[in-house]
Amino acid sequence: MGKILRVNMADRTARFEEVPEAYRLMGGRWLTTSMVCDEVDPMCHPLGPNNKIVIAPGIVTGTAAPTSARVSVGGKSPLTGGIKEANAGSTFPPQMARMGLKAIVIEGQPEEKGKFWTLRVGVDSATFEPADEWLGRSLREVFPEIFGRYGKKTGICAIGMVGERLMSNAGICFNDVDGRASRYAGRGGLGAVLGSKGLKLILLDDSGASPVPLADKERFHAGRKALTEALRTHAVTKPGGALNSYGTAVLINIMNEAGGLPTRNFSSGTFEGAAKVAGEAINEGAKERGGAGRTGHNCSPGCIIKCSNVWPHPDGTEHASCLEYESLWAFGPNCGIDDLDIVAELVQLCNDYGLDTIEAGNVIAVAMEAGLAEFGDGEKAIELMHEIGKGTPLGQILGSGATITGNTFGVVRIPAVKGQAMPAYEPRAVKGIGITYATTTMGADHTAGYTIAPEILAVGGDEDALEVKGKADTSRNLQTATAFLDATGHCLFIAFAILDIVEGFNGMIEECNGVLGTEWTADDVTRIGHEILKKERAFNEAAGFTPLDDRMPEFMRYEKLPPHNTVWDVPDEMLDSVWNF
Amino acid sequence: MGKILRVNMADRTARFEEVPEAYRLMGGRWLTTSMVCDEVDPMCHPLGPNNKIVIAPGIVTGTAAPTSARVSVGGKSPLTGGIKEANAGSTFPPQMARMGLKAIVIEGQPEEKGKFWTLRVGVDSATFEPADEWLGRSLREVFPEIFGRYGKKTGICAIGMVGERLMSNAGICFNDVDGRASRYAGRGGLGAVLGSKGLKLILLDDSGASPVPLADKERFHAGRKALTEALRTHAVTKPGGALNSYGTAVLINIMNEAGGLPTRNFSSGTFEGAAKVAGEAINEGAKERGGAGRTGHNCSPGCIIKCSNVWPHPDGTEHASCLEYESLWAFGPNCGIDDLDIVAELVQLCNDYGLDTIEAGNVIAVAMEAGLAEFGDGEKAIELMHEIGKGTPLGQILGSGATITGNTFGVVRIPAVKGQAMPAYEPRAVKGIGITYATTTMGADHTAGYTIAPEILAVGGDEDALEVKGKADTSRNLQTATAFLDATGHCLFIAFAILDIVEGFNGMIEECNGVLGTEWTADDVTRIGHEILKKERAFNEAAGFTPLDDRMPEFMRYEKLPPHNTVWDVPDEMLDSVWNF
């Protein structure tokens, strides 16, 4: 039932191992979390020899399950000091699954610093090559050359120059369906961990790979059909629906309306320039400019939601992919910038250098707060991003995330939890998402328990965003279901459909049963979700975290956020109650 | 019984308050810790409006008690995130005591950033003046001008330019007996807290001050005499003794011999150039060059140990004061530098800019580890220090301490506990001091429980430095006694005498009884010491600390330290047992 590839960078050895029985049913976040908990000392230095990186596709990844081509990357985060799972969609995960690779584990550390390697993986082989020629270069240049050298079907996992330089906001980059260096397991700085191991690239050659074995084909296909039907029916996920038409950036106007669009480093909940950077403007602009521009683009094979996009220059040539809501918000409203071309450039620089966009946008906003630029000054924002690329001391600060940037410049308003900067939803205006930010094991992370669905979108319930009551339950339930979903390899966005359409939810479970030969029900979703969360929580406790790490930054407790003029008022006991299970 | 001056920088008001009964017997660290615990939210941002600075002279400060002119400064540390007490000797503390000022509390924060004020305090007055003219300048220039403007007897408490810029390694500077800007409550970045409150200077005018009242004069004087006798007798503290002749830098050769002199960023325990920067070399060099150079200098009034010194340029003009062991080591052996003139310049730059030397030296060493300079390159080290003065982005990093410097550049070997860099004793070679570093509430701090006395100097016992057994008791006992000693206002260096000479120890207690009218015995030393430690520990717990914060950095557990080739092997349970009382 597949194998694990274990790579030791201390002596550059790689060996295939049997999958231990305990891991047999696992995939995605379930597997990365379990292996990290089993193998990594929670007190280790994230960039030292004792941290590890675990890469694992989901349970149904590589099958015909819709929107399931995701790969999880796990390790101890240099940004949070806790456990981390970040995932991405790409051709890489289904290739990995079809090659029978349940996980790749990267451990050890070469004694020589500054030397980097490429790991080439085939169905039965794993070899190393020096990576010197790829170092210090934009991934936009590197990826096409790799496809030229190793073939167009190569699956690429890479770090950018910021990962080489061990900056704590380095993500791990995978190719999209068209070969772009644009799909990131971005959050938490795992790219720096890979950098600390001297591993620049993992290249997959899936020649000779076999289909992912199905224990019960009929069951799998019944599940797949039910989930597909749900995705094709739900207003958010259906073809021509909200995500397909406008991408995730459809949320810009919605969050602005709700007064929960963090603006100018979390000092307001509305942005006067929101409409200019909204999904609707992308859709229109891409059409108008034509050429490479498009919406309704899929990031990974087999996705039927297709929420990605390609933003063109005025002349129609490609500028950046993808302008998704979080990236757009981070560099747009959060920096007071209302120009899509500027934002596109900032996003593309993240893709080029190897940065997580959410953290990077927060960094620029915190730097603006520190006086390094005026809010709204897009040209200066681009200059600051180039500092990161150049690796100047200022660049090293900015590449290290919002917390280090703020602490280095004495900024008090740092919107972060556990050292990780917040995504695009204001906790003072949307209380449930704040509970998720505070309590998830991941540091501030919306994907860990996306309460925006019921609080803003009336999906999976209809809750008042400003109301506190009941929100611990909302967050807990979503964190639990999400942990399971992250194990399956599905994109989080199937949640919109399966939260409202029970057949879709059951379809997801049946897909897993079809692959694994299990008899899981909704109870197992909860059981497995809880298992994952508890393991992660135990890791963080053993790394020194306490419930006091599950708190919002102090400024949110005394600064009233316009337009609702509300503060963060969720009681600590309610935050702690998220973990009562 | 004295009064408390409470200063609110939000509206620049100051008022004198009665001393609450609960604080009546307190002084120094006992009082700063108690007030911080009573008034500061442990979860507040250290640079936000809810942190406070408490400044308090010791119980016997301002009396004729020998070597007792110390002032404690307390608050929540931006470096450690926990409670902090740092103390210094100066004319300021006895002035404060004679003015009846039990404590000055600085709270609140002006809305306008970048505006700074001078607080002028008289016996019954407290007024504000704009501090613009003193900003961004070397304290070496500023102090003489202040004496010129306000009189030579002015007591000065100041922050340097790094405090203005909110850097986490900003200390709080007091004048020495000759008016130098050289005596620092240095550790933990409390200068940045004062900076965040817009307070540049506190100037004391003690006109009309009265002697510190003595509840029982005879008792006090008996105690004073006994302590003085002990200090005049003990080999370490007596006139012409080790400290008086060679200063604290007498330890350079001793620690080098013991293989416990951290060298080149804690990668070795011996330094081949040790003798060139040792106390003996200072003594000789100062004599040879003559002029301003001298040893056996006292930092504060009423000190009979006189361990300070003034290092001259080759032409005899003054270069720097004071080249004490920690400062000298930090920039010398720890940076691989063996040139006293270079080291003197680096120390003086700390005094000029307003930095703690221990942290600053560690910063340079970590920067060298990161490749910003070669170990041993003194000129480059000076350049790096100037970056701090200039406030460049690199300077902001380096001014923020060793942990931020290391994290920003991806350095794993960061010798710090709770974010504070280690002093001049290698924990792998001197196990007891490592237990103190790990377990004190202060972050890595030798003064919190100076086990070097029994482990290296055969003072207060004679213990094998490499032996682990029994060292938790050694550290606990010394941490307890030190907490009391820090309450009295005595310099820590009286410990050498009172650990060996029981009459001196009792003399210290009798001085307190004489001042306060109490009937304390040695049991009260323990009781009060425990009370202080427990309050500090409770603060830190409420700020999110756990026993896992009482750990050495991971690299010390796997990197063997030459010449003993030992690792950090003190069991966690032993570390935790320090707090069993």
Side-chain angles (χ1 to χ4, degrees), chain A residues 92-108:
Chain A
F92 188 101
Q95 285 179 315
M96 205 178 150
R98 289 190 200 111
M99 290 166 76
L101 285 169
K102 226 56 196 159
I104 302 175
V105 184
I106 318 292
E107 56 191 32

Side-chain angles (χ1 to χ4, degrees), chain B residues 372-439:
Chain B
L372 275 74
E374 296 290 314
F375 282 107
D377 186 343
E379 293 305 324
K380 187 72 188 168
I382 290 171
E383 275 176 42
L384 290 174
M385 288 294 292
H386 281 304
E387 295 285 326
I388 303 178
K390 287 185 246 173
T392 61
L394 177 56
Q396 289 285 149
I397 299 170
L398 303 177
S400 298
T403 300
I404 280 192
T405 300
N407 287 345
T408 302
F409 289 105
V411 173
V412 173
R413 193 189 286 126
I414 306 173
V417 180
K418 300 183 180 71
Q420 182 168 291
M422 290 181 190
Y425 313 91
E426 233 306 341
R428 284 166 289 186
V430 194
K431 300 294 162 70
I433 200 69
I435 296 177
T436 293
Y437 290 173
T439 60

Side-chain angles (χ1 to χ4, degrees), chain B residues 300-495:
Chain B
S300 55
C303 179
I304 59 177
I305 300 175
K306 305 183 189 221
C307 69
S308 179
N309 57 39
V310 180
W311 180 250
H313 286 292
D315 68 2
T317 57
E318 178 168 329
H319 191 174
S321 176
C322 151
L323 299 196
E324 61 112 2
Y325 173 61
E326 298 292 334
S327 311
L328 197 48
W329 156 80
F331 289 114
N334 197 42
C335 292
I337 295 173
D338 64 2
D339 182 319
L340 272 177
D341 291 315
I342 297 266
V343 170
E345 180 63 16
L346 291 163
V347 170
Q348 187 55 40
L349 286 173
C350 287
N351 289 346
D352 292 350
Y353 296 155
L355 290 159
D356 173 49
T357 54
I358 296 176
E359 191 76 30
N362 273 283
V363 161
I364 300 299
V366 167
M368 286 172 164
E369 178 99 31
L372 275 74
E374 296 290 314
F375 282 107
D377 186 343
E379 293 305 324
K380 187 72 188 168
I382 290 171
E383 275 176 42
L384 290 174
M385 288 294 292
H386 281 304
E387 295 285 326
I388 303 178
K390 287 185 246 173
T392 61
L394 177 56
Q396 289 285 149
I397 299 170
L398 303 177
S400 298
T403 300
I404 280 192
T405 300
N407 287 345
T408 302
F409 289 105
V411 173
V412 173
R413 193 189 286 126
I414 306 173
V417 180
K418 300 183 180 71
Q420 182 168 291
M422 290 181 190
Y425 313 91
E426 233 306 341
R428 284 166 289 186
V430 194
K431 300 294 162 70
I433 200 69
I435 296 177
T436 293
Y437 290 173
T439 60
T440 167
T441 53
M442 294 291 148
D445 178 3
H446 60 300
T447 68
Y450 193 66
T451 66
I452 299 303
E455 291 187 286
I456 299 288
L457 304 172
V459 167
D462 190 357
E463 303 181 11
D464 178 354
L466 288 163
E467 175 62 53
V468 167
K469 207 180 147 194
K471 292 292 176 65
D473 298 333
T474 306
S475 177
R476 184 193 310 110
N477 293 340
L478 285 166
Q479 289 195 53
T480 303
T482 302
F484 179 85
L485 199 155
D486 287 340
T488 68
H490 283 293
C491 173
L492 178 62
F493 294 165
I494 72 162

